[in-house]
Amino acid sequence: MQVISLTVGVCKQEMLQKKNAVLVDGVILNGPIMDSKAGEKFVEDACKIIMEEVVQKADDVTEKVCEWQAPEKLKQILDLEMRDTGECHQKVLQLCRDVIKYSVKTNHPRFFNQLYAGIDYYSLVARFITEALNPSVYTYEVSPVFLLVEEAVIKKMIEFIGWEEGDGIFNPGGSVSNMYAMNLARYKFCPEIKEKGLSGLPRLVLFASEECHYSMKKAASFLGIGTENVYFIKTDERGKMIPEELEKQVQRARKEGSAPFLVCATAGTTVLGAFDPLDKIADICEKHGLWFHVDASWGGSALISKKHRRLLHGIHRADSVAWNPHKMLLAGIQCCALLVKDNTGLLKKCYSAEAAYLFQQDKFYDVSYDTGDKSIQCSRRPDAFKFWLMWKALGTTGLEERVNRALALARYHLTVLSVYLVEEIKKREGFQLLLEPEYANICFWYIPPSLRKMEDGPEFWQKLHQVAPIIKERMMKKGSMMLGYQPHWGKVNFFRQVVINPQVSREDMDFLLDEIELLAKDL
């Protein structure tokens, strides 16, 4: 079999054999430097591997979720060293196979580790298209289709929030959306900061719940606000912000001579899946003239469901919302929007730099479509496209079904999963729920046989704290499933089960509980 090489060296040799070869500074200028036929063949072969090893095996429970290897061993297997000479076609294809083999299969029905999982085929094709086209979404002239798609998607998401109008931008992650919102709130509070900087400003203070995403601290640090100026508001036993505590902290900040400017509520906390009481928080924000941001990165997709949008009651009163369709809706990482109620151009005023080489005002078309100046990025991926293509294929009804099924409060064509799991945990000896789930986060302890008759006390909890990490190690090395664990606010390590993947069956739920018992039988 002929070995096809893409190396620059081979191409140069072929070029030199041609008549009238032109060299400048040792560089051949005749013709293309790459062999397009060889490249097309490589893409064709690689796509076949992707279909066979990723797409077609996505719902195969007999496959491992992961092929665990220690870092040093994995370095050797993958041959990570980059050399002066390129590898042949077949060697690079083998590298592709190895990368797939040793990567975690997040599409696997028994991957429960994160707030994303599963595969959406329409979104996947959209990603293939954008990767092949390699666009950057900043001006209409270079990205006409994707700018219009983003505009349409943002408009529809704004409708689901309940605003009559608004603005927005897709960002590389919910953390970035939260940072955008924090900076936007500060700009609205003191617009002169854009030109004059931090000097001369009062001590700015913002408020977020104890259960908020850690990106709020990172954003405060990055923007020069300071982590000490993030006042964390106490939460109740379910992880919801207590409005009365927020009121106290706002008054405290004012008495200290600080300048409160922002409240960040959370709709769907990372660990417990809690939803803050948005209406009551909005009342406080209106009373004190504070920007109201809702981090709905995880919980925002409940807005698609008529049955469950009540979880976000009051979100229409927010000034800004972060929403990640790549989580519950399976739009594919990453797909994250910041949505803003203001429609006067505040987003652009805050972030624009008016680069003359990109955003010329005398172009032959409507330059209002050159929306890239609303972003802190220059090059920007067309992340809205995969959400749009998926939405077009499934319709709003299909997306609603996906949310309803994941939350396990409605039956369509498949088994109700989360409710079943909760009931099983209650029935089985050794499984103990932390609390009744409000969303798709199911948090529980597994108490192994040796601890079941032990008295409740410090020694019991100390020993229980060690159980989840051991079970996690065993499941990873076996490759049977992936399930996250964590300690949380004084509670020892517990498992957090998240059901998102549409391919998950009742049998997978049974397997999860059976496998935990099996892995911990000697503990």
Side-chain angles (χ1 to χ4, degrees), residues 211 235-240 242 272 434-435 491:
E211 297 278 341
T235 56
D236 63 19
E237 68 282 354
R238 296 196 59 83
K240 299 171 181 287
I242 302 171
L272 301 179
L434 262 74
L435 72 171
K491 293 182 173 64

Side-chain angles (χ1 to χ4, degrees), residues 3-14:
V3 176
I4 301 171
S5 174
L6 293 177
T7 64
V8 174
V10 171
C11 292
K12 277 191 176 182
Q13 193 173 13
E14 290 174 355

Side-chain angles (χ1 to χ4, degrees), residues 55-72:
V55 178
Q56 292 174 358
K57 292 181 178 180
D59 60 351
D60 187 351
V61 295
T62 66
E63 293 288 323
K64 287 187 176 183
V65 178
C66 62
E67 188 75 46
W68 171 259
Q69 299 291 338
E72 292 306 317

Side-chain angles (χ1 to χ4, degrees), residues 189 203-207 250 253-254 258-262 288-290:
F189 184 77
R203 180 189 175 217
L204 298 177
V205 168
L206 64 105
F207 309 89
V250 174
R254 287 247 159 91
S258 301
F261 75 102
L262 165 69
H288 294 282
L290 305 175

Side-chain angles (χ1 to χ4, degrees), residues 307-374:
K307 191 178 294 285
H308 303 303
R309 61 176 296 115
R310 57 178 174 73
L311 292 168
L312 297 102
H313 180 70
I315 197 171
H316 65 285
R317 300 175 66 186
D319 295 295
S320 57
V321 174
W323 178 359
N324 293 3
H326 75 232
K327 295 181 186 288
M328 178 71 74
L329 296 177
L330 278 71
I333 291 177
Q334 54 201 10
C335 188
C336 314
L338 173 71
L339 306 163
V340 182
K341 183 185 286 185
D342 176 89
N343 198 32
T344 66
L346 183 68
L347 197 56
K348 186 175 181 180
K349 291 172 189 173
C350 179
Y351 290 109
S352 66
E354 300 177 345
Y357 73 93
L358 275 178
F359 305 109
Q360 304 94 330
Q361 297 303 296
D362 55 357
K363 292 181 180 180
F364 64 94
Y365 59 85
D366 183 355
V367 295
S368 68
Y369 286 100
D370 289 354
T371 57
D373 223 9
K374 295 191 293 187

Side-chain angles (χ1 to χ4, degrees), residues 199-416:
S199 60
L201 286 179
R203 180 189 175 217
L204 298 177
V205 168
L206 64 105
F207 309 89
S209 89
E210 293 175 328
E211 297 278 341
C212 75
H213 192 261
Y214 66 85
S215 60
M216 297 308 294
K217 285 181 73 173
K218 288 196 171 189
S221 172
F222 185 83
L223 295 172
I225 293 169
T227 57
E228 290 185 0
N229 296 319
V230 181
Y231 284 22
F232 294 102
I233 310 304
K234 291 179 181 178
T235 56
D236 63 19
E237 68 282 354
R238 296 196 59 83
K240 299 171 181 287
M241 184 191 293
I242 302 171
E244 294 77 12
E245 292 296 324
L246 173 62
E247 175 68 34
K248 288 178 186 176
Q249 292 301 317
V250 174
Q251 292 182 10
R252 170 197 156 197
R254 287 247 159 91
K255 287 177 182 177
E256 292 172 347
S258 301
F261 75 102
L262 165 69
V263 174
C264 175
T266 309
T269 59
T270 305
V271 178
L272 301 179
F275 287 74
D276 288 339
L278 303 183
D279 241 352
K280 292 180 179 180
I281 294 170
D283 288 341
I284 295 170
C285 290
E286 286 183 8
K287 175 182 175 182
H288 294 282
L290 305 175
W291 184 281
F292 182 27
H293 173 64
V294 178
D295 178 7
S297 297
W298 173 220
S301 295
L303 289 168
I304 299 288
S305 168
K306 301 181 191 73
K307 191 178 294 285
H308 303 303
R309 61 176 296 115
R310 57 178 174 73
L311 292 168
L312 297 102
H313 180 70
I315 197 171
H316 65 285
R317 300 175 66 186
D319 295 295
S320 57
V321 174
W323 178 359
N324 293 3
H326 75 232
K327 295 181 186 288
M328 178 71 74
L329 296 177
L330 278 71
I333 291 177
Q334 54 201 10
C335 188
C336 314
L338 173 71
L339 306 163
V340 182
K341 183 185 286 185
D342 176 89
N343 198 32
T344 66
L346 183 68
L347 197 56
K348 186 175 181 180
K349 291 172 189 173
C350 179
Y351 290 109
S352 66
E354 300 177 345
Y357 73 93
L358 275 178
F359 305 109
Q360 304 94 330
Q361 297 303 296
D362 55 357
K363 292 181 180 180
F364 64 94
Y365 59 85
D366 183 355
V367 295
S368 68
Y369 286 100
D370 289 354
T371 57
D373 223 9
K374 295 191 293 187
S375 171
I376 60 172
Q377 300 170 253
C378 181
S379 299
R380 192 165 61 90
R381 297 172 64 87
D383 291 326
F385 178 64
K386 52 197 166 190
F387 188 27
W388 175 82
L389 193 65
M390 181 180 73
W391 205 330
K392 291 287 284 185
L394 299 176
T396 304
T397 303
L399 296 180
E400 181 179 16
E401 177 181 340
R402 187 165 285 181
V403 173
N404 287 343
R405 183 180 182 279
L407 295 181
L409 292 172
R411 291 181 180 270
Y412 285 86
H413 303 293
L414 299 170
T415 308
V416 178

Side-chain angles (χ1 to χ4, degrees), residues 38-277:
E40 290 167 10
K41 174 64 173 158
F42 176 76
V43 171
E44 182 182 340
D45 290 347
C47 284
K48 184 179 179 183
I49 292 172
I50 293 169
M51 276 300 300
E52 292 175 353
E53 299 300 322
V54 180
V55 178
Q56 292 174 358
K57 292 181 178 180
D59 60 351
D60 187 351
V61 295
T62 66
E63 293 288 323
K64 287 187 176 183
V65 178
C66 62
E67 188 75 46
W68 171 259
Q69 299 291 338
E72 292 306 317
K73 185 176 180 182
L74 188 56
K75 287 178 186 179
Q76 295 173 2
I77 293 172
L78 295 177
D79 184 21
L80 297 172
E81 182 67 28
M82 291 153 285
R83 301 176 181 86
D84 291 341
T85 3
E87 309 282 1
C88 70
H89 184 149
Q90 295 304 319
K91 177 67 182 295
V92 178
L93 288 174
Q94 185 56 48
L95 288 172
C96 293
R97 291 187 184 93
D98 290 342
V99 166
I100 292 169
K101 178 178 179 179
Y102 295 106
S103 291
V104 174
K105 311 306 186 293
T106 64
N107 302 327
H108 197 290
R110 292 169 184 174
F111 174 82
F112 305 110
N113 211 65
Q114 314 296 151
L115 299 182
Y116 64 89
I119 184 171
D120 179 87
Y121 301 103
Y122 306 107
S123 168
L124 182 62
V125 169
R127 282 178 274 172
F128 288 161
I129 291 171
T130 56
E131 289 300 317
L133 290 172
N134 196 34
S136 181
V137 186
Y138 36 62
T139 63
Y140 184 80
E141 64 182 280
V142 297
S143 195
V145 172
F146 299 119
L147 275 169
L148 295 180
V149 164
E150 183 173 70
E151 179 186 62
V153 171
I154 286 171
K155 181 180 178 183
K156 198 69 175 178
M157 293 174 82
I158 282 169
E159 288 178 15
F160 276 96
I161 290 173
W163 298 335
E164 293 182 1
E165 57 184 11
D167 199 358
I169 192 87
F170 272 74
N171 299 309
S175 295
V176 175
S177 293
N178 287 336
M179 185 183 72
Y180 265 70
M182 189 180 294
N183 193 48
L184 192 62
R186 183 174 65 174
Y187 175 78
K188 181 67 183 290
F189 184 77
C190 44
E192 66 275 10
I193 192 174
K194 183 176 178 181
E195 287 80 25
K196 296 182 180 179
L198 298 172
S199 60
L201 286 179
R203 180 189 175 217
L204 298 177
V205 168
L206 64 105
F207 309 89
S209 89
E210 293 175 328
E211 297 278 341
C212 75
H213 192 261
Y214 66 85
S215 60
M216 297 308 294
K217 285 181 73 173
K218 288 196 171 189
S221 172
F222 185 83
L223 295 172
I225 293 169
T227 57
E228 290 185 0
N229 296 319
V230 181
Y231 284 22
F232 294 102
I233 310 304
K234 291 179 181 178
T235 56
D236 63 19
E237 68 282 354
R238 296 196 59 83
K240 299 171 181 287
M241 184 191 293
I242 302 171
E244 294 77 12
E245 292 296 324
L246 173 62
E247 175 68 34
K248 288 178 186 176
Q249 292 301 317
V250 174
Q251 292 182 10
R252 170 197 156 197
R254 287 247 159 91
K255 287 177 182 177
E256 292 172 347
S258 301
F261 75 102
L262 165 69
V263 174
C264 175
T266 309
T269 59
T270 305
V271 178
L272 301 179
F275 287 74
D276 288 339

